[in-house]
Amino acid sequence: MSLPFRANCRENGGVDTSEQIQINPEDLQTEGMSIKELLHILKVRVGWIIATFIVVISVAAVYLNYVTPMYESEISILVESLQKSSSIESLLMGQSTTKISTEVELALSSRNITDALALLNLDSYTNSDGEPYSDRKVLGGLKERISVTTVKDTNIVKITVTDANAKFAADFTNALAESYNEMLNSIARNSKTVQKEFIESQIPINEQQLQEATNALGVFREESNIIQLSDKSKLLSEKIAYFQLRREPLSLQLNEAVYAFDQYRAALIEQGLSIPSYESLSKDPTVLSLSDSLHDKYRERILYEAINNGNESATPRQYVLESASSQVSKALLDHLSHIIVKAAGSNDLVANFRLSELAQATQQRIVTEVEIDVLVSVEADYTEELSKLPVLERKLLDLERDVQVYETLRLRLLELLEEVKIAEAAVSRSVTVVDAAKIGENPVSPNRLLILAVAVLLGVAGGVLLALMVEMLDVTVKDEGTIKRLAGANIPILGWVPLMNFDQKIPIPELTVINKPLSFEAERYKLIASNI
């Protein structure tokens, strides 16, 4: 026979906290929870859910109220390559080349940002605290709020600025494009100026050489009375003249590459970077191997050109050799860039751009030296054959060839000087604005709708989890179901009595059955007695 399980309960079935039965969590039987039980728990603990929801929403509202809204402005620009200009050799020989450059990286350089800020009246902009933007502390982290992206397969660049002041974001974005244009123009203009000065220094030298060659030819004709030459002599002379004409612009290009290498190396060393010398770079094993490969391919190309008498129409083999030479030159540039950047170890954008220019100047110098060496060796072979001709014929051919070379070179130098002058004067806009930046009307951050939506989800989910946690931690007995789970299914429950408020005016208030025999509490005692 089972003893009755008695507990003082509230009228609604709850247990008085002053006399509650404490149960260890280990005593509870592990059972699955049905959807009905889950909904019942959520209904009972709805207060916790509502409280958690209100707290999360309140935190989100406070955050949105105090966080500083950020506005975004974007400008689209068309950037022209700084290295679009042709080299000395290509201009003299009528071959145009296009080089790949990294000008876009300069948009985020500290110099460009500083120049852009100098274009603005920073005192006219203030933050939410009323502090002017002329205070550098207000502009802290400005570079991190600037992003530069490119449109694939185009020269279109997008510069985006994010700031708490919408007007400053728009004005600063436009100022970045303006200062960026000035910086690129300055670099391009300086390059053209250096090239023009170099060509101007070469013209007087060429004119003096031409005058000397002309005078020598006139004196020889007067003294020797020679009238004509054989066809073989003319052919050999033309070939040698062709190689000399090819070599002269290469000599100018080599001088230009040497000058550019020295200038870039000196500028980088002044910045405290470690830059290898040209001798150490040219003696690198990989560089030597690529140079030898380039030498063999270029010599074969020159021989084909000599056979074709310099005609523009090329044989299929010449196209193959030209493509192979380009690949070797590209590999040489990549390897030199790797060596120079590794030795410098710089992260500055402007310095990296100069390192790229230094690598290109080094590659140009090595390639030009290879080409000159090939031309000299081939020219020597033709000269040796020409030396077998009579002395007077050979002397006349040499003098006529010198005059022809210097005359042709003089004309090309004058044309090149005019082209460089025009190019220098035409350097006016390296950056073209496609879409100017506008003042943002709506902040891009914080995203109020997204934050509120996340807060609602977190509030509901957090409230449900908290309600389940409170239910799991609550080990008090509240109903017969809990008692049955604790006592076991085979032990009967005789009954329960509610929590009673006794009338202290009655002599013995605890005798409920006697004092109030028809009350609900008395009926519960009678039921327990009957069950016993």
Side-chain angles (χ1 to χ4, degrees):
M1 177 179 176
S2 301
L3 295 177
F5 195 101
R6 183 181 182 277
N8 290 331
C9 300
R10 301 178 187 273
E11 294 181 358
N12 58 0
V15 175
D16 184 5
T17 55
S18 61
E19 300 184 32
Q20 61 184 359
I21 300 176
Q22 297 295 334
I23 306 297
N24 293 327
E26 291 80 2
D27 297 335
L28 295 176
Q29 299 178 6
T30 304
E31 298 179 1
M33 180 182 296
S34 64
I35 297 178
K36 182 177 180 181
E37 291 175 333
L38 176 62
L39 295 177
H40 175 71
I41 293 173
L42 298 181
K43 180 180 178 181
V44 173
R45 307 294 183 181
V46 67
W48 289 99
I49 299 176
I50 295 175
T52 305
F53 180 81
I54 293 175
V55 169
V56 173
I57 293 297
S58 300
V59 171
V62 171
Y63 171 77
L64 293 176
N65 184 47
Y66 285 96
V67 71
T68 302
M70 303 296 287
Y71 297 85
E72 184 179 276
S73 291
E74 181 182 80
I75 186 171
S76 298
I77 56 178
L78 180 66
V79 180
E80 296 182 6
S81 174
L82 286 177
Q83 300 173 355
K84 204 172 183 179
S85 59
S86 302
S87 64
I88 294 289
E89 180 194 12
S90 62
L91 288 174
L92 288 173
M93 302 307 295
Q95 301 172 349
S96 61
T97 59
T98 302
K99 299 180 179 179
I100 299 175
S101 59
T102 56
E103 292 80 3
V104 175
E105 297 296 330
L106 296 176
L108 284 176
S109 63
S110 300
R111 172 184 169 185
N112 188 43
I113 295 175
T114 303
D115 293 345
L117 291 174
L119 296 175
L120 302 176
N121 181 15
L122 298 179
D123 290 328
S124 61
Y125 307 99
T126 58
N127 60 9
S128 58
D129 297 330
E131 298 174 336
Y133 274 52
S134 55
D135 186 356
R136 292 299 178 181
K137 295 181 180 179
V138 178
L139 291 175
L142 179 61
K143 188 174 182 178
E144 287 70 21
R145 300 198 300 273
I146 305 173
S147 63
V148 179
T149 57
T150 57
V151 180
K152 186 178 181 181
D153 298 330
T154 66
N155 287 343
I156 296 179
V157 178
K158 295 181 180 293
I159 302 178
T160 305
V161 176
T162 304
D163 194 78
N165 191 316
K167 189 174 186 305
F168 173 78
D171 293 345
F172 182 59
T173 305
N174 291 321
L176 275 176
E178 184 178 350
S179 62
Y180 185 42
N181 178 60
E182 291 297 327
M183 181 173 62
L184 295 184
N185 286 344
S186 175
I187 296 175
R189 194 177 295 111
N190 291 339
S191 176
K192 293 295 181 182
T193 302
V194 171
Q195 193 175 17
K196 182 187 70 173
E197 293 174 352
F198 177 77
I199 295 173
E200 288 176 343
S201 66
Q202 296 299 315
I203 290 178
I205 299 175
N206 172 260
E207 290 179 346
Q208 182 180 357
Q209 293 172 337
L210 176 60
Q211 184 64 40
E212 293 175 354
T214 303
N215 293 338
L217 178 61
V219 171
F220 176 77
R221 283 177 174 173
E222 291 177 358
E223 294 178 352
S224 63
N225 294 323
I226 191 169
I227 299 177
Q228 61 182 4
L229 299 174
S230 64
D231 293 339
K232 183 177 181 180
S233 300
K234 289 183 179 180
L235 179 61
L236 291 174
S237 178
E238 289 175 358
K239 297 297 183 183
I240 296 174
Y242 171 75
F243 293 130
Q244 287 184 343
L245 185 59
R246 287 291 304 273
R247 185 158 44 86
E248 288 299 327
L250 287 174
S251 299
L252 295 177
Q253 180 170 304
L254 178 60
N255 293 336
E256 183 186 24
V258 172
Y259 178 79
F261 178 88
D262 294 339
Q263 292 295 318
Y264 286 127
R265 185 169 184 269
L268 290 169
I269 290 177
E270 288 181 358
Q271 297 181 14
L273 301 180
S274 176
I275 306 299
S277 64
Y278 176 75
E279 288 73 18
S280 62
L281 291 173
S282 60
K283 292 179 181 178
D284 181 81
T286 304
V287 173
L288 291 175
S289 176
L290 293 173
S291 300
D292 293 340
S293 176
L294 190 64
H295 185 280
D296 296 338
K297 293 177 175 57
Y298 192 70
R299 181 179 177 84
E300 188 176 354
R301 282 176 54 195
I302 289 297
L303 293 176
Y304 272 107
E305 292 178 6
I307 295 174
N308 295 334
N309 295 323
N311 294 333
E312 295 182 358
S313 58
T315 63
R317 178 59 181 170
Q318 286 179 263
Y319 286 118
V320 173
L321 290 172
E322 184 176 356
S323 176
S325 300
S326 299
Q327 292 179 1
V328 175
S329 299
K330 176 70 168 52
L332 180 61
L333 176 60
D334 293 341
H335 184 69
L336 288 171
S337 300
H338 174 72
I339 295 176
I340 294 174
V341 171
K342 183 178 180 180
S346 173
N347 295 324
D348 183 68
L349 293 176
V350 177
N352 288 338
F353 182 81
R354 291 186 178 274
L355 290 174
S356 175
E357 293 287 345
L358 179 66
Q360 292 179 10
T362 308
Q363 182 250 16
Q364 187 65 52
R365 183 174 176 178
I366 294 175
V367 171
T368 306
E369 288 178 350
V370 170
E371 293 178 352
I372 292 176
D373 183 63
V374 171
L375 288 173
V376 169
S377 63
V378 175
E379 182 183 341
D381 294 339
Y382 280 87
T383 303
E384 182 181 358
E385 186 175 355
L386 182 62
S387 63
K388 300 176 183 179
L389 298 176
V391 177
L392 290 179
E393 288 187 8
R394 187 170 68 253
K395 180 66 173 178
L396 179 60
L397 289 175
D398 291 340
L399 294 174
E400 288 181 344
R401 183 173 64 250
D402 290 342
V403 173
Q404 179 185 359
V405 170
Y406 292 136
E407 282 183 348
T408 305
L409 185 58
R410 177 177 179 275
L411 293 176
R412 294 300 296 160
L413 283 174
L414 293 175
E415 292 178 4
L416 180 58
L417 179 60
E418 294 300 321
E419 291 180 9
V420 173
K421 286 182 178 179
I422 294 174
E424 182 185 23
V427 175
S428 59
R429 181 166 292 275
S430 298
V431 174
T432 303
V433 177
V434 179
D435 291 321
K438 299 179 181 178
I439 299 177
E441 297 180 357
N442 300 316
V444 294
S445 66
N447 192 330
R448 295 181 178 274
L449 292 179
L450 178 62
I451 291 177
L452 288 176
V454 172
V456 170
L457 293 177
L458 288 178
V460 174
V464 171
L465 291 176
L466 184 60
L468 294 175
M469 184 179 297
V470 171
E471 179 68 22
M472 180 182 66
L473 296 176
D474 187 2
V475 293
T476 59
V477 178
K478 296 181 176 62
D479 51 30
E480 288 189 32
T482 304
I483 296 176
K484 289 180 179 180
R485 287 197 298 272
L486 293 173
N490 297 325
I491 300 176
I493 297 176
L494 299 180
W496 56 270
V497 294
L499 180 64
M500 293 173 286
N501 293 323
F502 300 107
D503 189 358
Q504 299 299 326
K505 297 179 180 179
I506 301 176
I508 305 177
E510 290 82 2
L511 299 178
T512 304
V513 178
I514 297 175
N515 296 330
K516 296 180 180 180
L518 299 180
S519 64
F520 175 74
E521 292 82 353
E523 293 297 329
R524 298 304 305 173
Y525 277 111
K526 294 177 183 178
L527 177 61
I528 293 174
S530 298
N531 289 336
I532 292 176

